[in-house]
Structures are given as structure tokens and as C-alpha cells.
Amino acid sequence: MLYLYAPDQQDHYHRLLQEALPDWSIACWPQEVNAEAVTHVVAWKPPVAFFQRFPNLQVIFTLGAGVDKFLHRDDIPEHVTLIRLTDAGMAQQMTEYALYGLLHYQRQMDIYRQQQQVGVWQPQPTRLAKQTRVTILGLGQLGMQVAQNLARLGYPVSGWSRQARSIEHVHCVHGCDALDRLLPETDVLFSILPATDETQHLLDARRLALLPKNAALINAGRGTLIDQEALLNLLNQQHLRFVLLDVFAEEPLPAEHPFWQHPSVLITPHIAADTIPEEAVAQIAANMQLLANGLPVPGQVDRHRGY
Ligand code: NAP
Ligand code: GLV
């Protein structure tokens, strides 16, 4: 039996899953079932201790790309296979999000917005795409496609990952020393890194200060990447010109947080790339077939690595 936990869109997912997996018996939270019969779970943001009730659980499919909420919990035994979504329509959305922030900064919409508020008609010097150096943190399923798409549009793109990567027209580097060398050469820093022990506060006060004055930062990965206090200090010193944040250490961002009112910060409520139910279910069904045939499955999470 497959058990579904997706309270926001339960009926929709249930229908799609049942159509894609006609031979499976599918139950939905909070339906009471014979918990011993449940071998597979499809879930997003399951509550604490949710998985404890399923003694014969074999596989969990997440309805998202990031798996941080599925790790460091004691209700998922080591032997359970964790499979996340890979792209499933998110890379296109992530490219749009990155491009929106990039254009807002490069075409100086932040400055024109401020000028408009005080009725100033003042053209700013033209800045071309080829004069706007973009660095992408994370070259996985999403970051790699963002990097390729931005490079195609004429931006000089660098990318940073854990292991060495090679992407056509993208200057790829890895390792912390390389990151420190790259940051001073970056006009727009876009992060699409997962939340792991290693990425926690990777962008601390020292690294953020390596960005050139008037640079921009866009974070669509996870909020734990950034030391938010350090970022606020740097913004208040007018070191960074524009910051677009989709993810935060605490979500929703608390109402009293200074980011809300900061003139250099644009906030979105964790919407950079949404899960598309049709694509997610098609991918889960295909992955179930691969698993059943004993074949490798894309998106299988390395729980020790954290992504
Ligand atoms: P992925 O395919 O696992 O890619 C992760 C990338 O991050 C890889 O390139 C990996 O390096 C790199 N990385 C991980 N730890 C690193 C470290 N310590 N140092 C340097 N690079 C490191 O993941 P994805 O599918 O692209 O998704 C990335 C993240 O986006 C998700 O985990 C999630 O947090 C976030 N996300 C956000 C939204 C949103 O709406 N805001 C939507 C979807 C996803 P290697 O290539 O060397 O392995
Ligand atoms: C959303 O943040 C995801 O990880 O899919």
C-alpha cells in the first residue's frame, strides 16, 4: 500500500497517483489504515514522528527537491530509501526566478523604483549582460540548467559545486578556496544550494564581505545558507545594492524581521520553483517502475551527504 501525505492538495495528488499506479492501493492522511501494509509513502513536510506508524516502510518519495526536512529525524530507519524530485519542471521556474532578480539589478529597476518614489527622471549608465558576472552556487539538477540558460543569454557565468563539474560555457570551480577567489569577481551571486551541515552559514560575514561593493545576492536554495545578521549589517553599510530572498532561516519570515522593511531587499514567500503535481507524479511512477526492476533511480538521496 502507498500512503500519501500532502494535506494542501490531497485530493488532486490522490487522483493523479491512482491514475498513474492503477494496481496500487493508495490511502491519504489522516485515513486510518492497516499500517503494516504500507511500504511506500509520498509526502511533503510530514509532521514529527509521522513515519513511526509504518513498521514495513521501504521507500519515501518527497514532493520536492530539498530533503532537509526528511533528514535528522528519528522516525525514518536507515534502510528506508529516500527519493526526491529531480527537476520535474522546477528548473525552468528557477531560471525565471534567477533571471528576474538578475534583470531587476542589471537593468537597475531597483534604482528607478527609488527615483520614481521621489519623482526623479535620471537615466543610469547602460550595463550590458556581458558586463554582469553571475556566480551560481550549486550545479545540480536546478543550478546546472540555470547556469546554462543564463550563459546562453550572454552573461559571463561561473558555477560552484562540491565535486568538480564541467558545463559548456560555464566557468566551473569547486572547493572553499575557489569560492573565496570567485566572490570578489561576482556581480550577482545566485544560490541554489541544499541545506546541509556544510552549507549552514556558508555565506557568513567574512564571505559576504568578499562580494564587491554594489553587488547583488539572490537566494533560492535554503535560508540556512546565509548568516542573516551579517547580511543585514552589510546591507545597512550599503555594501550590497540588491538582495532577493525566497528562503529564510525561519519561514514564514517573522513579521518583525528588519528584512521586510529594508529598501534593498525584495522578499518572496518560498515560491521560486513550485512542485507541479502532474510532473511530480509522473516522475514518482517512473521511479517506482525503476525500483521494481532493480535499476538505479535518479534522485536517490545520500542521507550522510545530506542531499
Ligand atoms: P541537487 O541536484 O542535489 O544539487 C545540489 C548542488 O549543490 C550540487 O551541485 C552539489 O554539488 C551542490 N552542493 C551541495 N553541497 C555543497 C557544498 N557543501 N559545497 C558546494 N556545493 C555543494 O539539488 P537541486 O535539485 O538542484 O536542488 C537544490 C536545492 O534547491 C534543493 O536542495 C532545495 O533546497 C532548493 N530548492 C528551492 C526551491 C524554492 O522554491 N526556493 C525549489 C526547489 C529546490 P555536487 O554537484 O558536487 O554534488
Ligand atoms: C522546495 O523548496 C523544494 O525543495 O522543492
Side-chain angles (χ1 to χ4, degrees):
M1 178 185 279
L2 186 150
Y3 200 87
L4 168 67
Y5 183 87
D8 293 348
Q9 299 180 72
Q10 196 95 287
D11 293 347
H12 190 40
Y13 272 111
H14 190 198
R15 186 176 53 74
L16 291 171
L17 280 164
Q18 198 63 82
E19 277 167 17
L21 301 165
D23 299 337
W24 278 75
S25 162
I26 301 177
C28 296
W29 171 261
Q31 204 176 323
E32 289 291 339
V33 294
N34 170 16
E36 291 190 1
V38 174
T39 52
H40 291 54
V41 167
V42 172
W44 191 237
K45 295 186 183 163
V48 174
F50 173 78
F51 297 101
Q52 243 162 28
R53 73 202 74 206
F54 305 123
N56 296 317
L57 185 59
Q58 293 169 15
V59 189
I60 299 169
F61 292 97
T62 77
L63 287 171
V67 291
D68 37 292
K69 294 284 187 285
F70 290 83
L71 303 175
H72 305 299
R73 47 190 296 161
D74 50 21
D75 59 342
I76 304 180
E78 278 286 314
H79 68 265
V80 172
T81 303
L82 186 57
I83 298 174
R84 68 186 188 88
L85 292 180
T86 52
D87 183 355
M90 284 187 268
Q92 167 75 23
Q93 297 176 69
M94 209 41 101
T95 298
E96 292 163 3
Y97 190 87
L99 186 59
Y100 178 86
L102 176 51
L103 288 172
H104 191 86
Y105 168 79
Q106 178 216 335
R107 298 307 306 260
Q108 304 170 119
M109 298 301 168
D110 54 334
I111 297 177
Y112 292 127
R113 179 81 208 154
Q114 286 164 13
Q115 290 185 179
Q116 184 179 333
Q117 277 160 359
V118 287
V120 170
W121 179 280
Q122 177 60 59
Q124 297 294 321
T126 299
R127 181 178 200 167
L128 302 176
K130 68 181 180 186
Q131 297 165 324
T132 309
R133 300 162 299 178
V134 181
T135 292
I136 301 191
L137 304 182
L139 295 174
Q141 292 288 327
L142 304 180
M144 182 180 60
Q145 293 193 55
V146 174
Q148 285 171 327
N149 289 331
L150 296 183
R152 266 186 223 117
L153 290 172
Y155 293 95
V157 178
S158 300
W160 185 72
S161 53
R162 211 162 71 110
Q163 311 157 61
R165 299 268 163 207
S166 169
I167 304 171
E168 210 180 355
H169 306 304
V170 176
H171 168 59
C172 295
V173 298
H174 64 287
C176 286
D177 292 347
L179 176 62
D180 289 358
R181 285 193 297 275
L182 195 52
L183 291 174
E185 311 290 320
T186 297
D187 298 310
V188 178
L189 182 63
F190 173 70
S191 177
I192 184 64
L193 285 169
T196 67
D197 292 346
E198 283 182 30
T199 61
Q200 165 93 18
H201 282 198
L202 181 85
L203 294 184
D204 56 10
R206 183 188 69 77
R207 282 216 176 86
L208 287 167
L210 290 176
L211 287 165
K213 186 165 166 54
N214 286 328
L217 167 65
I218 305 170
N219 187 17
R222 283 292 184 265
T224 50
L225 175 81
I226 297 175
D227 177 343
Q228 294 187 165
E229 278 298 307
L231 176 58
L232 198 59
N233 286 338
L234 220 56
L235 282 163
N236 289 338
Q237 292 159 19
Q238 298 187 325
H239 184 81
L240 297 179
R241 197 185 92 199
F242 171 62
V243 172
L244 171 57
L245 299 173
D246 188 52
V247 287
F248 300 87
E250 183 184 349
E251 294 180 9
L253 182 66
E256 66 283 2
H257 198 284
F259 282 159
W260 281 114
Q261 303 304 332
H262 202 289
S264 305
V265 179
L266 184 56
I267 290 171
T268 52
H270 202 139
I271 48 72
D274 203 4
T275 297
I276 302 165
E278 289 72 11
E279 299 217 25
V281 168
Q283 188 172 97
I284 289 167
N287 284 344
M288 282 179 73
Q289 195 58 54
L290 291 173
L291 273 179
N293 294 338
L295 294 168
V297 180
Q300 182 156 347
V301 176
D302 178 337
R303 290 164 66 180
H304 296 287
R305 196 179 61 166
Y307 66 100

